[in-house]
Amino acid sequence: MTTATHHSSAKKPPLLTRALRRTMRGLPPARHDVAHEPGLVVPAADGSPLLTDHYFPLADGDFPTLLIRSPYGRGFPWAPMYGVLFAEQGFHVVLQSCRGTGGSGGEFALWQHEAADGLATVAWLREQPWFRGALGTLGASYLGYAQWALALEPPPELRAMVVHVGLHDLYGYFYSGGAFALENTLTSTMGLTSQHRGTRHLLRASLRLRRHLPAIGRTLPLGETYVPGLGGRVPFLEEVMAHPDREDAHWQGVDAGVAAERLTVPTSLITGWYDVGLDQTLQQYGRLRRAGCDAALLVGPWTHHSALQQGWPEVFAESLAWLRAHLCDDPSGLRGTRARVHVGGRQAWQDLPDWPPATTDRHWHLDGDGTLRTRPPEHPWAPVPFRYDPADPTPSVGGPVLSGKAGSQDNTALEARDDVLTFTTAPLTEPLDVLGPVRAELRVRTDTGHADVFARLCDVDPRGRSANICDGVLRLRPDDAADPAGSAPAAVTVAMSSTAHRFPAGHRMRLQVSGGAHPRFARHTGTGEPPATATRLRPAEVALQHPSRLVLPVADETTDETADETYARAAPER
């Protein structure tokens, strides 16, 4: 039995945590009152003390345990959202600060210690009288990375994982398509260095970074100009900037997602179409499915942050159902299909037997007059050039970012710039459903060999408002981009992430092509110098050439009324 009398140090959760819990709406009623053991000391792999809070139901029973390992502290938002909420539903919740954060001993080293420290924590759990051998993991963002690290050598007690907007490959996060993700990297570094110190410290750090970000974006070298924005030097960030090549030995072992290739632990993955971790979540799902692992996927109309805010009722319900099914032998809350996605344009949820669903790749061909056509142009068109000037970099608008205006935004002003090319269809005569990964297959020529190619799919409504749907960036190298002295242009593919979106009749589809999205990505200096030490700026002349095309995965034809029924019938049993 588990009762409060077995925990001499137990107390009520902190007043602020209880107050924040009461502000959460749209959640199931609590099954139990909750008690809290704060500041327990768990020995890390090398003996460093890891501070840990334990939340548990005030009731008799053999309750399963959830492990959450966080570098962001053990307070807001994790205490009310994970600690109290899941303990209310009948789980022991073990919320731990990663080494070097939140009062834990040792030194925080990005990703290197998570696997060993996770296993050491499970060894400690085995010694606790309330631990009954049924373990699940839970957590968002870097807390998701900590789960994948533990799954590299999953302990036998691990029976379920739930990853919210999570990452498994930190190199891929810092260098999307080879371009340095400046804004998101600075924002997440600010969170890693300040949030574990408390909400006030986080607020001050956030305001400081916001104040300094414009200067960081326009001043070189980045290895020096970032320092005022973060209040001092950050060793792990300097290591990130000093090693831009994935093949560098510095990144050995960074991809914890390889665990999914052999995992047998049932895993629920939750993300949003504008989440910074969307691509990695979909990669995780694909790896799990190929390995034959039981996996579920939920993708909502969310950003990295809004999934845990506006989307929290859906995220919590999905997570609770998965954990009850696999830790409590109660599958009653599971849905009947593996995947559920929110379809933009329809503004509706759709259940699917798997992701990506059955689709047909359809091609829209770029023409030199700025149109997108379903048929290839009859004649090759003349190159369409633009000049990318890093002294006046093409700005970023919306998309999967951690700060500022994330998500779908109005791109009209951006598309009026001379350094942004657009290619647009005629108004659609009938709705078009795009479900899956989008890509642009382009022929590109540059005069320097150094450039970024940023491609974005937009939905243009009848009033002319252009809203971004998905996008991607690719950093060209001199070996990729031919010089203009008579040689053929480089054939490149820009992966533009995935989407589930309906383009309604009367709307137009638009492809943007430009040389960057700043400060979301650090501007390409045009010299090939490393991002930390580059000091010179060189404009690049870039031209698109024939033949180039946009490739969209279009859903098999089916009516709105029968689509969900069709997918539900096709869904395999779990």
Side-chain angles (χ1 to χ4, degrees), residues 21-53:
R21 163 62 186 95
R22 286 194 290 270
T23 67
M24 298 178 183
R25 299 290 182 261
L27 303 176
R31 293 185 173 187
H32 308 285
D33 291 332
V34 173
H36 174 230
E37 287 184 293
L40 301 175
V41 176
V42 176
D46 63 353
S48 297
L50 302 178
L51 294 191
T52 302
D53 294 346

PDB file of all heavy atoms in Angstrom, residues 21-53:
ATOM      1  N   ARG A  21      -2.225  25.239 -10.627  1.00  0.00           N
ATOM      2  CA  ARG A  21      -3.029  24.079 -11.007  1.00  0.00           C
ATOM      3  C   ARG A  21      -4.494  24.464 -11.129  1.00  0.00           C
ATOM      4  O   ARG A  21      -5.193  24.022 -12.049  1.00  0.00           O
ATOM      5  CB  ARG A  21      -2.849  22.967  -9.968  1.00  0.00           C
ATOM      6  CG  ARG A  21      -3.914  21.868  -9.992  1.00  0.00           C
ATOM      7  CD  ARG A  21      -3.921  21.116 -11.307  1.00  0.00           C
ATOM      8  NE  ARG A  21      -5.011  20.163 -11.395  1.00  0.00           N
ATOM      9  CZ  ARG A  21      -6.181  20.409 -11.965  1.00  0.00           C
ATOM     10  NH1 ARG A  21      -6.441  21.607 -12.470  1.00  0.00           N
ATOM     11  NH2 ARG A  21      -7.105  19.464 -12.041  1.00  0.00           N
ATOM     12  N   ARG A  22      -4.988  25.314 -10.242  1.00  0.00           N
ATOM     13  CA  ARG A  22      -6.407  25.679 -10.268  1.00  0.00           C
ATOM     14  C   ARG A  22      -6.762  26.550 -11.469  1.00  0.00           C
ATOM     15  O   ARG A  22      -7.939  26.682 -11.804  1.00  0.00           O
ATOM     16  CB  ARG A  22      -6.777  26.394  -8.965  1.00  0.00           C
ATOM     17  CG  ARG A  22      -6.877  25.448  -7.762  1.00  0.00           C
ATOM     18  CD  ARG A  22      -7.557  26.109  -6.578  1.00  0.00           C
ATOM     19  NE  ARG A  22      -6.722  27.149  -5.987  1.00  0.00           N
ATOM     20  CZ  ARG A  22      -5.843  26.944  -5.013  1.00  0.00           C
ATOM     21  NH1 ARG A  22      -5.683  25.718  -4.509  1.00  0.00           N
ATOM     22  NH2 ARG A  22      -5.130  27.937  -4.533  1.00  0.00           N
ATOM     23  N   THR A  23      -5.768  27.154 -12.111  1.00  0.00           N
ATOM     24  CA  THR A  23      -6.056  27.983 -13.287  1.00  0.00           C
ATOM     25  C   THR A  23      -6.222  27.153 -14.553  1.00  0.00           C
ATOM     26  O   THR A  23      -6.651  27.682 -15.583  1.00  0.00           O
ATOM     27  CB  THR A  23      -4.925  28.995 -13.517  1.00  0.00           C
ATOM     28  OG1 THR A  23      -3.725  28.300 -13.883  1.00  0.00           O
ATOM     29  CG2 THR A  23      -4.678  29.841 -12.285  1.00  0.00           C
ATOM     30  N   MET A  24      -5.882  25.877 -14.520  1.00  0.00           N
ATOM     31  CA  MET A  24      -5.933  25.042 -15.723  1.00  0.00           C
ATOM     32  C   MET A  24      -7.349  24.548 -15.945  1.00  0.00           C
ATOM     33  O   MET A  24      -7.976  23.975 -15.061  1.00  0.00           O
ATOM     34  CB  MET A  24      -4.956  23.867 -15.575  1.00  0.00           C
ATOM     35  CG  MET A  24      -3.509  24.315 -15.442  1.00  0.00           C
ATOM     36  SD  MET A  24      -2.388  22.907 -15.207  1.00  0.00           S
ATOM     37  CE  MET A  24      -0.833  23.782 -14.999  1.00  0.00           C
ATOM     38  N   ARG A  25      -7.835  24.758 -17.160  1.00  0.00           N
ATOM     39  CA  ARG A  25      -9.216  24.414 -17.500  1.00  0.00           C
ATOM     40  C   ARG A  25      -9.241  23.291 -18.540  1.00  0.00           C
ATOM     41  O   ARG A  25      -8.269  23.019 -19.224  1.00  0.00           O
ATOM     42  CB  ARG A  25      -9.933  25.647 -18.065  1.00  0.00           C
ATOM     43  CG  ARG A  25     -10.015  26.814 -17.074  1.00  0.00           C
ATOM     44  CD  ARG A  25     -10.981  26.503 -15.936  1.00  0.00           C
ATOM     45  NE  ARG A  25     -11.104  27.618 -15.009  1.00  0.00           N
ATOM     46  CZ  ARG A  25     -10.465  27.710 -13.864  1.00  0.00           C
ATOM     47  NH1 ARG A  25      -9.637  26.734 -13.496  1.00  0.00           N
ATOM     48  NH2 ARG A  25     -10.632  28.749 -13.060  1.00  0.00           N
ATOM     49  N   GLY A  26     -10.391  22.657 -18.663  1.00  0.00           N
ATOM     50  CA  GLY A  26     -10.594  21.629 -19.671  1.00  0.00           C
ATOM     51  C   GLY A  26      -9.940  20.305 -19.344  1.00  0.00           C
ATOM     52  O   GLY A  26      -9.693  19.497 -20.253  1.00  0.00           O
ATOM     53  N   LEU A  27      -9.658  20.048 -18.060  1.00  0.00           N
ATOM     54  CA  LEU A  27      -8.968  18.828 -17.650  1.00  0.00           C
ATOM     55  C   LEU A  27      -9.915  17.929 -16.851  1.00  0.00           C
ATOM     56  O   LEU A  27     -10.896  18.402 -16.269  1.00  0.00           O
ATOM     57  CB  LEU A  27      -7.748  19.177 -16.803  1.00  0.00           C
ATOM     58  CG  LEU A  27      -6.732  20.103 -17.469  1.00  0.00           C
ATOM     59  CD1 LEU A  27      -5.619  20.450 -16.499  1.00  0.00           C
ATOM     60  CD2 LEU A  27      -6.162  19.448 -18.725  1.00  0.00           C
ATOM     61  N   PRO A  28      -9.651  16.641 -16.794  1.00  0.00           N
ATOM     62  CA  PRO A  28     -10.521  15.738 -16.030  1.00  0.00           C
ATOM     63  C   PRO A  28     -10.419  16.037 -14.537  1.00  0.00           C
ATOM     64  O   PRO A  28      -9.398  16.562 -14.065  1.00  0.00           O
ATOM     65  CB  PRO A  28      -9.971  14.346 -16.354  1.00  0.00           C
ATOM     66  CG  PRO A  28      -8.548  14.578 -16.754  1.00  0.00           C
ATOM     67  CD  PRO A  28      -8.537  15.915 -17.441  1.00  0.00           C
ATOM     68  N   PRO A  29     -11.449  15.713 -13.777  1.00  0.00           N
ATOM     69  CA  PRO A  29     -11.395  15.957 -12.337  1.00  0.00           C
ATOM     70  C   PRO A  29     -10.319  15.104 -11.672  1.00  0.00           C
ATOM     71  O   PRO A  29      -9.989  14.008 -12.135  1.00  0.00           O
ATOM     72  CB  PRO A  29     -12.794  15.571 -11.848  1.00  0.00           C
ATOM     73  CG  PRO A  29     -13.326  14.646 -12.900  1.00  0.00           C
ATOM     74  CD  PRO A  29     -12.730  15.102 -14.193  1.00  0.00           C
ATOM     75  N   ALA A  30      -9.773  15.628 -10.581  1.00  0.00           N
ATOM     76  CA  ALA A  30      -8.747  14.897  -9.846  1.00  0.00           C
ATOM     77  C   ALA A  30      -9.349  13.655  -9.196  1.00  0.00           C
ATOM     78  O   ALA A  30     -10.473  13.674  -8.692  1.00  0.00           O
ATOM     79  CB  ALA A  30      -8.138  15.799  -8.781  1.00  0.00           C
ATOM     80  N   ARG A  31      -8.570  12.578  -9.204  1.00  0.00           N
ATOM     81  CA  ARG A  31      -8.982  11.359  -8.524  1.00  0.00           C
ATOM     82  C   ARG A  31      -8.468  11.300  -7.096  1.00  0.00           C
ATOM     83  O   ARG A  31      -9.033  10.568  -6.274  1.00  0.00           O
ATOM     84  CB  ARG A  31      -8.463  10.140  -9.292  1.00  0.00           C
ATOM     85  CG  ARG A  31      -9.072   9.933 -10.656  1.00  0.00           C
ATOM     86  CD  ARG A  31      -8.595   8.633 -11.278  1.00  0.00           C
ATOM     87  NE  ARG A  31      -9.285   8.322 -12.521  1.00  0.00           N
ATOM     88  CZ  ARG A  31      -9.146   7.180 -13.206  1.00  0.00           C
ATOM     89  NH1 ARG A  31      -8.337   6.226 -12.724  1.00  0.00           N
ATOM     90  NH2 ARG A  31      -9.805   6.974 -14.327  1.00  0.00           N
ATOM     91  N   HIS A  32      -7.380  12.023  -6.804  1.00  0.00           N
ATOM     92  CA  HIS A  32      -6.750  11.940  -5.494  1.00  0.00           C
ATOM     93  C   HIS A  32      -6.218  13.311  -5.076  1.00  0.00           C
ATOM     94  O   HIS A  32      -5.855  14.134  -5.921  1.00  0.00           O
ATOM     95  CB  HIS A  32      -5.564  10.961  -5.512  1.00  0.00           C
ATOM     96  CG  HIS A  32      -5.885   9.610  -6.067  1.00  0.00           C
ATOM     97  ND1 HIS A  32      -6.609   8.682  -5.370  1.00  0.00           N
ATOM     98  CD2 HIS A  32      -5.566   9.033  -7.255  1.00  0.00           C
ATOM     99  CE1 HIS A  32      -6.729   7.576  -6.103  1.00  0.00           C
ATOM    100  NE2 HIS A  32      -6.104   7.764  -7.255  1.00  0.00           N
ATOM    101  N   ASP A  33      -6.161  13.521  -3.781  1.00  0.00           N
ATOM    102  CA  ASP A  33      -5.358  14.613  -3.257  1.00  0.00           C
ATOM    103  C   ASP A  33      -3.888  14.240  -3.411  1.00  0.00           C
ATOM    104  O   ASP A  33      -3.532  13.068  -3.568  1.00  0.00           O
ATOM    105  CB  ASP A  33      -5.679  14.865  -1.782  1.00  0.00           C
ATOM    106  CG  ASP A  33      -7.072  15.450  -1.591  1.00  0.00           C
ATOM    107  OD1 ASP A  33      -7.552  16.136  -2.514  1.00  0.00           O
ATOM    108  OD2 ASP A  33      -7.674  15.204  -0.535  1.00  0.00           O
ATOM    109  N   VAL A  34      -3.020  15.269  -3.371  1.00  0.00           N
ATOM    110  CA  VAL A  34      -1.610  15.067  -3.704  1.00  0.00           C
ATOM    111  C   VAL A  34      -0.722  15.552  -2.576  1.00  0.00           C
ATOM    112  O   VAL A  34      -0.985  16.590  -1.951  1.00  0.00           O
ATOM    113  CB  VAL A  34      -1.256  15.811  -5.014  1.00  0.00           C
ATOM    114  CG1 VAL A  34       0.236  15.767  -5.297  1.00  0.00           C
ATOM    115  CG2 VAL A  34      -2.030  15.210  -6.179  1.00  0.00           C
ATOM    116  N   ALA A  35       0.337  14.794  -2.316  1.00  0.00           N
ATOM    117  CA  ALA A  35       1.384  15.221  -1.381  1.00  0.00           C
ATOM    118  C   ALA A  35       2.708  15.332  -2.149  1.00  0.00           C
ATOM    119  O   ALA A  35       2.833  14.891  -3.291  1.00  0.00           O
ATOM    120  CB  ALA A  35       1.510  14.230  -0.232  1.00  0.00           C
ATOM    121  N   HIS A  36       3.700  15.893  -1.454  1.00  0.00           N
ATOM    122  CA  HIS A  36       4.923  16.324  -2.135  1.00  0.00           C
ATOM    123  C   HIS A  36       6.108  16.125  -1.205  1.00  0.00           C
ATOM    124  O   HIS A  36       6.081  16.528  -0.048  1.00  0.00           O
ATOM    125  CB  HIS A  36       4.735  17.812  -2.476  1.00  0.00           C
ATOM    126  CG  HIS A  36       5.923  18.500  -3.044  1.00  0.00           C
ATOM    127  ND1 HIS A  36       6.381  19.719  -2.541  1.00  0.00           N
ATOM    128  CD2 HIS A  36       6.736  18.189  -4.069  1.00  0.00           C
ATOM    129  CE1 HIS A  36       7.429  20.095  -3.259  1.00  0.00           C
ATOM    130  NE2 HIS A  36       7.663  19.196  -4.180  1.00  0.00           N
ATOM    131  N   GLU A  37       7.140  15.458  -1.702  1.00  0.00           N
ATOM    132  CA  GLU A  37       8.419  15.361  -0.997  1.00  0.00           C
ATOM    133  C   GLU A  37       9.459  16.149  -1.798  1.00  0.00           C
ATOM    134  O   GLU A  37       9.928  15.677  -2.834  1.00  0.00           O
ATOM    135  CB  GLU A  37       8.873  13.914  -0.897  1.00  0.00           C
ATOM    136  CG  GLU A  37       8.107  13.060   0.080  1.00  0.00           C
ATOM    137  CD  GLU A  37       8.721  11.667   0.157  1.00  0.00           C
ATOM    138  OE1 GLU A  37       8.654  10.934  -0.836  1.00  0.00           O
ATOM    139  OE2 GLU A  37       9.277  11.337   1.229  1.00  0.00           O
ATOM    140  N   PRO A  38       9.839  17.327  -1.337  1.00  0.00           N
ATOM    141  CA  PRO A  38      10.773  18.136  -2.118  1.00  0.00           C
ATOM    142  C   PRO A  38      12.230  17.849  -1.760  1.00  0.00           C
ATOM    143  O   PRO A  38      12.552  17.394  -0.664  1.00  0.00           O
ATOM    144  CB  PRO A  38      10.405  19.561  -1.705  1.00  0.00           C
ATOM    145  CG  PRO A  38       9.935  19.412  -0.285  1.00  0.00           C
ATOM    146  CD  PRO A  38       9.266  18.061  -0.202  1.00  0.00           C
ATOM    147  N   GLY A  39      13.106  18.117  -2.724  1.00  0.00           N
ATOM    148  CA  GLY A  39      14.541  18.139  -2.465  1.00  0.00           C
ATOM    149  C   GLY A  39      15.166  16.814  -2.103  1.00  0.00           C
ATOM    150  O   GLY A  39      16.174  16.789  -1.386  1.00  0.00           O
ATOM    151  N   LEU A  40      14.622  15.695  -2.573  1.00  0.00           N
ATOM    152  CA  LEU A  40      15.285  14.417  -2.353  1.00  0.00           C
ATOM    153  C   LEU A  40      16.601  14.381  -3.134  1.00  0.00           C
ATOM    154  O   LEU A  40      16.714  14.976  -4.210  1.00  0.00           O
ATOM    155  CB  LEU A  40      14.387  13.265  -2.815  1.00  0.00           C
ATOM    156  CG  LEU A  40      13.016  13.165  -2.136  1.00  0.00           C
ATOM    157  CD1 LEU A  40      12.193  12.051  -2.778  1.00  0.00           C
ATOM    158  CD2 LEU A  40      13.157  12.939  -0.650  1.00  0.00           C
ATOM    159  N   VAL A  41      17.595  13.702  -2.604  1.00  0.00           N
ATOM    160  CA  VAL A  41      18.910  13.645  -3.243  1.00  0.00           C
ATOM    161  C   VAL A  41      19.111  12.270  -3.862  1.00  0.00           C
ATOM    162  O   VAL A  41      19.083  11.252  -3.164  1.00  0.00           O
ATOM    163  CB  VAL A  41      20.030  13.950  -2.232  1.00  0.00           C
ATOM    164  CG1 VAL A  41      21.399  13.785  -2.891  1.00  0.00           C
ATOM    165  CG2 VAL A  41      19.870  15.363  -1.674  1.00  0.00           C
ATOM    166  N   VAL A  42      19.294  12.271  -5.174  1.00  0.00           N
ATOM    167  CA  VAL A  42      19.521  11.044  -5.933  1.00  0.00           C
ATOM    168  C   VAL A  42      20.953  11.085  -6.459  1.00  0.00           C
ATOM    169  O   VAL A  42      21.353  12.076  -7.070  1.00  0.00           O
ATOM    170  CB  VAL A  42      18.524  10.927  -7.094  1.00  0.00           C
ATOM    171  CG1 VAL A  42      18.821   9.702  -7.943  1.00  0.00           C
ATOM    172  CG2 VAL A  42      17.096  10.892  -6.574  1.00  0.00           C
ATOM    173  N   PRO A  43      21.747  10.054  -6.243  1.00  0.00           N
ATOM    174  CA  PRO A  43      23.125  10.070  -6.753  1.00  0.00           C
ATOM    175  C   PRO A  43      23.163   9.857  -8.265  1.00  0.00           C
ATOM    176  O   PRO A  43      22.570   8.918  -8.801  1.00  0.00           O
ATOM    177  CB  PRO A  43      23.799   8.905  -6.014  1.00  0.00           C
ATOM    178  CG  PRO A  43      22.678   7.995  -5.650  1.00  0.00           C
ATOM    179  CD  PRO A  43      21.476   8.859  -5.422  1.00  0.00           C
ATOM    180  N   ALA A  44      23.877  10.746  -8.961  1.00  0.00           N
ATOM    181  CA  ALA A  44      24.057  10.612 -10.406  1.00  0.00           C
ATOM    182  C   ALA A  44      25.041   9.496 -10.702  1.00  0.00           C
ATOM    183  O   ALA A  44      25.557   8.823  -9.793  1.00  0.00           O
ATOM    184  CB  ALA A  44      24.548  11.928 -10.996  1.00  0.00           C
ATOM    185  N   ALA A  45      25.342   9.302 -11.965  1.00  0.00           N
ATOM    186  CA  ALA A  45      26.236   8.217 -12.366  1.00  0.00           C
ATOM    187  C   ALA A  45      27.602   8.332 -11.711  1.00  0.00           C
ATOM    188  O   ALA A  45      28.248   7.323 -11.418  1.00  0.00           O
ATOM    189  CB  ALA A  45      26.372   8.212 -13.889  1.00  0.00           C
ATOM    190  N   ASP A  46      28.061   9.581 -11.472  1.00  0.00           N
ATOM    191  CA  ASP A  46      29.371   9.776 -10.843  1.00  0.00           C
ATOM    192  C   ASP A  46      29.246  10.176  -9.380  1.00  0.00           C
ATOM    193  O   ASP A  46      30.217  10.613  -8.770  1.00  0.00           O
ATOM    194  CB  ASP A  46      30.164  10.829 -11.603  1.00  0.00           C
ATOM    195  CG  ASP A  46      29.505  12.206 -11.568  1.00  0.00           C
ATOM    196  OD1 ASP A  46      28.355  12.293 -11.063  1.00  0.00           O
ATOM    197  OD2 ASP A  46      30.123  13.180 -12.033  1.00  0.00           O
ATOM    198  N   GLY A  47      28.040  10.040  -8.815  1.00  0.00           N
ATOM    199  CA  GLY A  47      27.814  10.389  -7.426  1.00  0.00           C
ATOM    200  C   GLY A  47      27.344  11.798  -7.191  1.00  0.00           C
ATOM    201  O   GLY A  47      26.999  12.155  -6.055  1.00  0.00           O
ATOM    202  N   SER A  48      27.318  12.649  -8.218  1.00  0.00           N
ATOM    203  CA  SER A  48      26.824  14.017  -8.046  1.00  0.00           C
ATOM    204  C   SER A  48      25.380  13.980  -7.555  1.00  0.00           C
ATOM    205  O   SER A  48      24.582  13.165  -8.024  1.00  0.00           O
ATOM    206  CB  SER A  48      26.904  14.784  -9.363  1.00  0.00           C
ATOM    207  OG  SER A  48      28.235  14.909  -9.810  1.00  0.00           O
ATOM    208  N   PRO A  49      25.014  14.861  -6.622  1.00  0.00           N
ATOM    209  CA  PRO A  49      23.639  14.848  -6.098  1.00  0.00           C
ATOM    210  C   PRO A  49      22.665  15.487  -7.089  1.00  0.00           C
ATOM    211  O   PRO A  49      22.856  16.624  -7.525  1.00  0.00           O
ATOM    212  CB  PRO A  49      23.755  15.686  -4.821  1.00  0.00           C
ATOM    213  CG  PRO A  49      24.916  16.601  -5.061  1.00  0.00           C
ATOM    214  CD  PRO A  49      25.874  15.849  -5.924  1.00  0.00           C
ATOM    215  N   LEU A  50      21.631  14.772  -7.436  1.00  0.00           N
ATOM    216  CA  LEU A  50      20.578  15.275  -8.314  1.00  0.00           C
ATOM    217  C   LEU A  50      19.339  15.544  -7.472  1.00  0.00           C
ATOM    218  O   LEU A  50      18.757  14.614  -6.898  1.00  0.00           O
ATOM    219  CB  LEU A  50      20.257  14.253  -9.410  1.00  0.00           C
ATOM    220  CG  LEU A  50      21.423  13.827 -10.305  1.00  0.00           C
ATOM    221  CD1 LEU A  50      20.965  12.780 -11.324  1.00  0.00           C
ATOM    222  CD2 LEU A  50      22.048  15.028 -11.007  1.00  0.00           C
ATOM    223  N   LEU A  51      18.953  16.809  -7.360  1.00  0.00           N
ATOM    224  CA  LEU A  51      17.798  17.164  -6.543  1.00  0.00           C
ATOM    225  C   LEU A  51      16.514  16.753  -7.256  1.00  0.00           C
ATOM    226  O   LEU A  51      16.345  16.985  -8.454  1.00  0.00           O
ATOM    227  CB  LEU A  51      17.788  18.661  -6.260  1.00  0.00           C
ATOM    228  CG  LEU A  51      18.945  19.173  -5.382  1.00  0.00           C
ATOM    229  CD1 LEU A  51      18.694  20.609  -4.955  1.00  0.00           C
ATOM    230  CD2 LEU A  51      19.149  18.289  -4.156  1.00  0.00           C
ATOM    231  N   THR A  52      15.625  16.165  -6.463  1.00  0.00           N
ATOM    232  CA  THR A  52      14.453  15.498  -7.029  1.00  0.00           C
ATOM    233  C   THR A  52      13.249  15.765  -6.149  1.00  0.00           C
ATOM    234  O   THR A  52      13.333  15.679  -4.919  1.00  0.00           O
ATOM    235  CB  THR A  52      14.707  13.980  -7.117  1.00  0.00           C
ATOM    236  OG1 THR A  52      15.879  13.750  -7.909  1.00  0.00           O
ATOM    237  CG2 THR A  52      13.531  13.252  -7.713  1.00  0.00           C
ATOM    238  N   ASP A  53      12.112  16.097  -6.772  1.00  0.00           N
ATOM    239  CA  ASP A  53      10.841  16.242  -6.061  1.00  0.00           C
ATOM    240  C   ASP A  53       9.945  15.051  -6.394  1.00  0.00           C
ATOM    241  O   ASP A  53       9.915  14.584  -7.537  1.00  0.00           O
ATOM    242  CB  ASP A  53      10.142  17.538  -6.470  1.00  0.00           C
ATOM    243  CG  ASP A  53      10.903  18.785  -6.032  1.00  0.00           C
ATOM    244  OD1 ASP A  53      11.819  18.659  -5.196  1.00  0.00           O
ATOM    245  OD2 ASP A  53      10.593  19.876  -6.552  1.00  0.00           O
TER     246      ASP A  53
END
